[in-house]
Amino acid sequence: MDQQPTPASPSAESLNAGHRERLRARFLKGGADGLHDYELLELLLFRAIPRRDVKPIAKILLQRFGSFAEVIAAPPARLKEVDFVGDSVVTEFKIVEAAALLLARQSMKKRLELGSFAQVVDYCRGAMAFRETEEFRILFLDKKNGLIADEVQGRGTVDHTPVYPREVIRRALELNASALILVHNHPSGDPTPSTADVTMTETIADLARPLGVKLHDHLIVGRNGHASMRAMKLI
């Protein structure tokens, strides 16, 4: 009797290809809610790293940075400290970050709901909460609380950003803004306002008031949440 040939075992490459297709199918069927954070990262890594098993890379990234959002927002230099993460991977991550912020900004721009601030907080946390240095931005609003401009006014160190109140007011007048929302981040993660934060906010409010410009709020965002000076009755 002729001996039948032994079937060849599947190669690592074919197993990897099968895993990629199954993961893509799960995403298309159930969306992001049905996937773990590391699996969402795998979907991005698939494009940048075509043949390698990327699950270990995704898990290392999460272990190092903490969450999907923190991986996407991480500085390129720090991302590249992880083996096999190069320019292609960084590009994929930064495209996702830019797209998420653009979607949030355009949604917020239609109308700011100043009762809950939900859209404002979501946008500002996405833009700033995971930065490694302080950033100070201003949302300039019209009479109907529509967004005129969203501008970063300064970047600083891990615990300080220089803010010049008269420059803030000058820019508000240039844009014919009727109201402002101040926003900055605390890289420490704790959004509790400092004494300097409170003093600076009071100075801007005092300068703005006689000119008919209202300071709606000063939001502080961090990894561990956010603080509203209006809600804390500091304005």
Side-chain angles (χ1 to χ4, degrees):
M1 180 182 293
D2 293 336
Q3 187 175 4
Q4 296 296 317
T6 303
S9 59
S11 67
E13 187 170 333
S14 64
L15 288 173
N16 185 38
H19 169 68
R20 290 178 177 226
E21 289 307 312
R22 288 190 297 273
L23 191 54
R24 289 189 181 105
R26 283 176 54 205
F27 175 74
L28 289 174
K29 183 177 180 180
D33 290 342
L35 301 180
H36 296 289
D37 276 8
Y38 75 85
E39 291 174 318
L40 282 173
L41 285 175
E42 281 190 82
L43 288 169
L44 297 178
L45 291 168
F46 288 166
R47 291 168 53 87
I49 305 176
R51 295 181 178 83
R52 180 177 294 276
D53 177 10
V54 296
K55 184 186 292 185
I57 303 172
K59 290 188 172 182
I60 290 170
L61 286 165
L62 283 173
Q63 184 178 24
R64 177 165 298 192
F65 296 102
S67 69
F68 178 86
E70 287 171 289
V71 172
I72 296 301
R78 289 202 61 207
L79 288 168
K80 290 180 182 180
E81 292 172 1
V82 176
D83 288 344
F84 307 110
V85 174
D87 289 338
S88 295
V89 170
V90 169
T91 299
E92 292 296 326
F93 289 175
K94 294 308 168 186
I95 289 172
V96 170
E97 182 183 25
L101 292 177
L102 181 60
L103 286 169
R105 183 185 296 119
Q106 290 182 347
S107 175
M108 181 180 68
K109 195 168 186 176
K110 292 178 181 177
R111 189 62 59 217
L112 296 179
E113 298 178 4
L114 296 174
S116 68
F117 276 119
Q119 285 180 304
V120 181
V121 172
D122 288 346
Y123 168 68
C124 292
R125 278 186 54 77
M128 303 170 68
F130 305 116
R131 300 293 185 199
E132 295 187 325
T133 56
E134 276 202 13
E135 187 174 276
F136 181 80
R137 72 194 311 129
I138 307 172
L139 307 182
F140 297 93
L141 311 178
D142 63 22
K143 291 181 180 179
K144 295 182 178 180
N145 292 326
L147 183 66
I148 298 172
D150 163 23
E151 296 184 354
V152 175
Q153 295 292 307
R155 293 182 173 90
T157 64
V158 295
D159 60 2
H160 176 70
T161 301
V163 178
Y164 305 101
R166 292 187 183 279
E167 288 300 308
V168 172
I169 302 305
R170 181 188 62 78
R171 185 60 177 150
L173 295 176
E174 285 179 351
L175 294 170
N176 198 28
S178 296
L180 308 172
I181 299 175
L182 310 179
V183 191
H184 82 278
N185 62 314
H186 280 179
S188 66
D190 180 3
T192 304
S194 67
T195 301
D197 292 336
V198 175
T199 300
M200 177 264 291
T201 304
E202 290 173 344
T203 301
I204 292 176
D206 289 344
L207 289 172
R209 195 176 299 111
L211 299 172
V213 179
K214 184 175 181 180
L215 179 57
H216 279 316
D217 207 343
H218 186 166
L219 296 174
I220 303 173
V221 297
R223 288 179 174 83
N224 301 330
H226 74 278
S228 160
M229 288 197 185
R230 175 70 62 184
M232 297 172 73
K233 302 188 185 305
L234 295 173
I235 299 177

